[in-house]
Amino acid sequence: MVSNIEQLSADKKLSFVLTTVLSLPVVKFCIVQSIPGLYLYNHYANFIISALILLLMIPVVSIIVSRRKSELLMTLGILTTYLLINFLIYQSNRENILSHLFRIYSMSFVCFSLAISIRDYPQFLKYLHRASYVMISSGMFMLVATSIIGAVGQASTDYNMSLSYYMVVPSITMLLMILENKRPIQILFFVSGLTIIIAMGSRGPILCLITFYLLYIIKYKKLSPRRLPLYYGLSATLIIIGLFRNEIASSFFNLLKKYNIYSRTLHLFLLGQLSAPAGRDEIFRQIGRKISENPIFGIGFLGDLRSHNIVFETILFNGIFFGSILIFILMYFCFESLRFKRNKELSFLILIFFSYAIPDALLNLTVWGKDMFWIFIGFSFVALREKHYCDDQDLSIPDLV
């Protein structure tokens, strides 16, 4: 029988590996893209990162198998069968399938495996909190190196969607800590992460942050007379920001411009085009035509990489009937996992990764091979295994530093 000490040690290993899987690509990206000439060796850096992750996985494979052997074998069998059927039937898709195959197994399946195997959720949340400092610091290094200092790397100083999305999970984690603990260092790093997101001009990450905040307030916070002054103060602040939004945005835009940062998000806001579809409306029309041409069986997995929306993409790949079933299953996962409260740290983790994965799924390219999406699915899978939900409870996080 495995002792509690061995269980805790195993969970520390799993938490460390999953945190490393999340943070290493961020650090690598910020360094490689910032230093002049280093981006030419990006493929070598990707190989090193993949090799490190595989090496880190070796000690925890036995833990994962011992805890989730049947679930992993079932998932691996379904995934492999699905890919094999698509590879054999849809010959025109073979190149795309092969190009994504390594990432699907080495990142997506690995992340799912780690997420469903972790049991000490406070421990993983601590690791994620600490790694968030590293990720946001790496983002600030990239922002300073490519704009303020003036280093000429591969990075752009007006729009960098990758950097913006890399900052989402650490920024959400910091926001969670602020909402629970309100420590100055967490506020500083959250503001830094938010600044990077706004400066790099991608709108999707802002939607992720808003999604998390609204869901957190709805799920965990209740109105109380003692907090009324705080609510009134916050409401007054938001009203003032709303009234002077153009002036505030213009001042921030001009401040960033002094340091050679030209935020596309602020530029679109000042032009009144923040909600502009950025060409997605035409993409959706084209995808809609393809769906109408192939309504029964679809065009196969990864047959078209332009969908920018998980609903269109799933129906396009699998046909209306089977695609609708998959979307229904995903909606069920989302709905039931967001209701989950039995384990407060697990519910926080579900909320963090939901707030990244689902807005990203509705706005960007294929997510079926993305790590954040499968971490969310993994944690949701664990939550759905619980047979009942508990009543409201004290949801403060103890000692998460």
Side-chain angles (χ1 to χ4, degrees), residues 221-232:
K221 293 299 180 183
K222 291 184 177 180
L223 290 173
S224 67
R226 289 183 303 173
R227 289 181 172 267
L228 283 178
L230 175 63
Y231 298 143
Y232 286 136

Side-chain angles (χ1 to χ4, degrees), residues 203-220:
R203 294 167 289 176
I206 297 176
L207 178 61
C208 296
L209 291 172
I210 294 172
T211 299
F212 172 81
Y213 181 74
L214 292 177
L215 289 174
Y216 176 90
I217 295 298
I218 292 170
K219 186 172 182 179
Y220 301 122

Side-chain angles (χ1 to χ4, degrees), residues 24-42:
L24 266 184
V26 180
V27 176
K28 184 274 301 182
F29 177 84
C30 293
I31 293 174
V32 169
Q33 298 292 318
S34 300
I35 299 176
L38 199 57
Y39 68 89
L40 298 173
Y41 303 96
N42 186 56

Side-chain angles (χ1 to χ4, degrees), residues 129-140:
H129 177 211
R130 293 166 184 170
S132 296
Y133 289 111
V134 177
M135 290 186 274
I136 293 175
S137 297
S138 300
M140 287 303 298

Side-chain angles (χ1 to χ4, degrees), residues 226-245:
R226 289 183 303 173
R227 289 181 172 267
L228 283 178
L230 175 63
Y231 298 143
Y232 286 136
L234 180 59
S235 299
T237 302
L238 292 175
I239 290 172
I240 292 172
I241 292 174
L243 291 174
F244 296 97
R245 59 188 181 277

Side-chain angles (χ1 to χ4, degrees), residues 349-370:
L349 290 169
I350 288 171
L351 199 57
I352 289 171
F353 289 98
F354 171 90
S355 300
Y356 181 107
I358 300 307
D360 179 52
L362 296 172
L363 294 173
N364 293 313
L365 298 175
T366 180
V367 299
W368 293 110
K370 288 187 176 179

Side-chain angles (χ1 to χ4, degrees), residues 125 172-183 186 212 216-217 219-221 227 344-345 347-348 351 393-400:
L125 202 50
I172 288 178
T173 303
M174 286 299 166
L175 179 57
L176 171 63
M177 298 303 160
I178 292 168
L179 293 168
E180 293 293 317
N181 298 324
K182 300 180 180 66
R183 296 181 179 176
Q186 296 160 352
F212 172 81
Y216 176 90
I217 295 298
K219 186 172 182 179
Y220 301 122
K221 293 299 180 183
R227 289 181 172 267
K344 60 186 177 182
E345 286 82 13
S347 70
F348 284 145
L351 199 57
Q393 54 183 295
D394 178 16
L395 294 172
S396 59
I397 306 176
D399 301 322
L400 280 178

